Amino acid sequence: MRKKVRNFIEENHMVEKNDCILAAVSGGADSLCLLSVLHELREELQITLCVIHVEHGIRGEESLQDAAFVEEVCRKYQIPCKVCHCQALAYAREKRQSVEEAARKLRYGLFREAAQEFGANKIAVAHNQNDSAETMLFHLARGTGLKGLCGILPVRGQIIRPLLCASRQEIEEYLAGEGREFCVDKTNEELQYTRNKIRHRILPLLVEVNANAISHMNQTAGFVTEAVGLIQELRMRASEKYVRVCEDGMHISQGLLLEPVMIQKETLLGSLAEAAKNSKDISSVHVQQLLELFARQNGRILELPYGIRARRTYEGILLQRGSDKSQAQPFCRELSVGCSLNLPSYGYEIHTRLLDKFPQNEEIPKKMYTKWFDYDKIKGTTRLRTRQEHDYLVIDAKGSRKKLKKYFVDEKIPEYRRDCILLLADDAHILWVIGYRISEDIKVTEHTKRILEIRIDGGRKDE
């Protein structure tokens, strides 16, 4: 066992020289085996050990006896030990969780606190091959993707699992050979817990079918883990190519549909989890809804968990969290010549000047946020405002008009952004769709006598 565990630790790069390992020891067979083997390997691996025991407050006196047993073993090994007490049943009721889930959450929280207290940089837990097989079956029964078939990973952040190379039978044989006692948790026999049903009813039947069933399941979990790693690498490449975080939210390009279906789904799942800052309640159902949204018409909206709104745009899908940015308040402000105007809500600083003649050695600006206008062709009062019903642009030298709404459609400007775009207007005549084009009839020509220059600092560079 000692050699097998050492090889497994090295293969998975679990520890390094001078690591301090906090071993989670319940007193059961698995954790006693973990502690014993790590104690034997401590000089070879050049590590130091400390122990935490969590008493969940579920089994009364028996639970307290287990804690005392662990403390006695640690005294024998001369290993620092911390016993933590909690109330898993009360916590489960408070959080409306199963006792298993509540106990696990409390346990790992206490592990992290103890690791910080001891100065431990790794936390060793005693999961074995049987636990990993049970996890695979549990996920398979509930419904899972490939990740759920990876079983239990040998290393996950600070957590290491040195016994994942051994079966429960091997662990018990090792302890028997060493003459070591261990505690027996009677709740592990109670079939009211889902994992106990899998452990005592399902796994034994699979072992009857094939004596090496547990080993084979763990081998398959390893293959699936490798496949998931490859898929995640391809997903990252697809995200770099098709997913862009912008001011409005997270935009997913229609080009994603050129990728294999699995990469499409993984990219959407990852993007949705990133936008939501959570993945717990995000499932394949939501991914499928996003895929179907690609086939819907522009402007369609899908409501998703965590307040995420997915909106069909001309280019793909936009994920937004929180309030709908399309509900912008109408805005209108008169623009005076020769002054500056600060609009914090838009991030704009607007500067104007009047030029009595065409400046020497200067060309008509081609910048998106600096424009020249023939000042004498502006008939009314210039205003900065958002769109209104009868707005129009002059689109050619003949004076042909195009409704602003039609212009937005032709330019494929998403509907949710149209109310947010600032306009320079002379009544219903739109002189400038800021960030886009100006009307043809107020452009500077060789006949222009006075030029109105408008420069906007802080204009969006992605428009």
Side-chain angles (χ1 to χ4, degrees), residues 34 46 81 134 165 184 236 241:
L34 173 69
Q46 298 183 58
C81 175
E134 290 164 11
C165 58
V184 177
M236 290 299 294
K241 191 173 181 180

Side-chain angles (χ1 to χ4, degrees), residues 349-352 369-371 432 453-457:
E349 282 189 11
I350 302 174
H351 307 277
T352 66
Y369 287 91
T370 300
K371 298 296 181 184
W432 183 16
E453 180 188 81
I454 301 179
R455 188 185 86 247
I456 299 181
D457 297 332

Side-chain angles (χ1 to χ4, degrees), residues 116-180:
Q116 188 171 9
E117 183 179 326
F118 280 118
N121 59 323
K122 303 286 175 61
I123 301 171
V125 293
H127 291 117
N128 57 55
Q129 288 190 343
N130 290 56
D131 295 316
S132 186
E134 290 164 11
T135 297
M136 291 177 70
L137 292 173
F138 181 72
H139 289 163
L140 191 61
R142 292 181 63 187
T144 184
L146 288 178
K147 284 185 180 179
L149 297 179
C150 292
I152 300 175
L153 299 178
V155 178
R156 191 181 185 96
Q158 193 181 14
I159 306 295
I160 60 173
R161 298 179 171 93
L163 293 189
L164 272 181
C165 58
S167 68
R168 187 165 286 124
Q169 182 179 345
E170 289 177 296
I171 289 169
E172 291 178 357
E173 288 175 355
Y174 164 79
L175 292 175
E178 295 289 316
R180 301 190 188 280

Side-chain angles (χ1 to χ4, degrees), residues 23-28 31-32 34-35 50-54 70 74 111 124:
V25 180
S26 67
S31 63
L32 256 294
L34 173 69
L35 180 59
C50 49
V51 165
I52 180 171
H53 173 86
V54 177
V70 172
C74 289
F111 290 172

Side-chain angles (χ1 to χ4, degrees), residues 192-401:
Q192 70 194 65
Y193 298 114
T194 304
R195 284 187 177 271
N196 288 351
K197 291 178 183 178
I198 295 173
R199 179 176 301 168
H200 298 299
R201 289 184 174 178
I202 299 173
L203 270 184
L205 290 175
L206 293 176
V207 173
E208 285 182 21
V209 173
N210 188 306
N212 295 315
I214 292 171
S215 175
H216 290 165
M217 289 176 69
N218 278 267
Q219 187 178 44
T220 297
F223 295 151
V224 175
T225 300
E226 291 176 0
V228 168
L230 176 59
I231 290 168
Q232 290 307 307
E233 182 178 338
L234 295 174
R235 179 189 73 81
M236 290 299 294
R237 293 180 188 177
S239 294
E240 290 175 3
K241 191 173 181 180
Y242 301 111
V243 181
R244 177 174 59 93
V245 177
C246 55
E247 183 179 335
D248 297 317
M250 180 180 293
H251 188 266
I252 305 169
S253 168
Q254 182 100 14
L256 178 63
L257 300 183
L258 299 173
E259 298 292 328
V261 174
M262 179 171 285
I263 303 304
Q264 295 177 31
K265 291 180 177 180
E266 288 295 321
T267 302
L268 292 174
L269 180 64
S271 298
L272 185 51
E274 183 180 345
K277 302 293 189 291
N278 205 323
S279 60
K280 183 179 178 182
D281 297 317
I282 296 172
S283 69
S284 58
V285 172
H286 304 118
V287 171
Q288 186 60 40
Q289 289 175 337
L290 281 176
L291 279 174
E292 292 171 358
L293 187 60
F294 275 111
R296 308 293 288 276
Q297 68 188 77
N298 177 54
R300 293 302 294 268
I301 293 175
L302 174 65
E303 301 293 342
L304 294 164
Y306 302 102
I308 298 297
R309 176 181 288 107
R311 187 190 303 271
R312 182 70 167 94
T313 67
Y314 288 110
E315 300 85 8
I317 290 174
L318 181 71
L319 299 180
Q320 295 176 298
R321 186 174 185 177
S323 60
D324 188 347
K325 294 188 179 182
S326 68
Q327 303 301 316
Q329 294 297 315
F331 175 89
C332 185
R333 183 82 62 86
E334 185 174 330
L335 183 66
S336 300
V337 177
C339 69
S340 297
L341 182 63
N342 187 21
L343 301 179
S345 60
Y346 284 86
Y348 290 168
E349 282 189 11
I350 302 174
H351 307 277
T352 66
R353 64 171 178 161
L354 189 61
L355 308 175
D356 290 329
K357 59 182 179 178
F358 201 104
Q360 292 184 351
N361 303 320
E362 285 193 43
E363 295 181 353
I364 296 175
K366 296 180 180 178
K367 295 180 181 179
M368 198 176 296
Y369 287 91
T370 300
K371 298 296 181 184
W372 282 2
F373 305 88
D374 189 324
Y375 185 65
D376 295 305
K377 292 181 180 178
I378 301 173
K379 304 303 181 185
T381 302
T382 54
R383 289 182 172 84
L384 290 167
R385 62 171 175 80
T386 48
R387 65 172 175 165
Q388 296 176 1
E389 185 176 355
H390 300 294
D391 288 346
Y392 68 90
L393 287 157
V394 176
I395 59 172
D396 58 33
K398 298 177 182 179
S400 303
R401 296 183 178 187

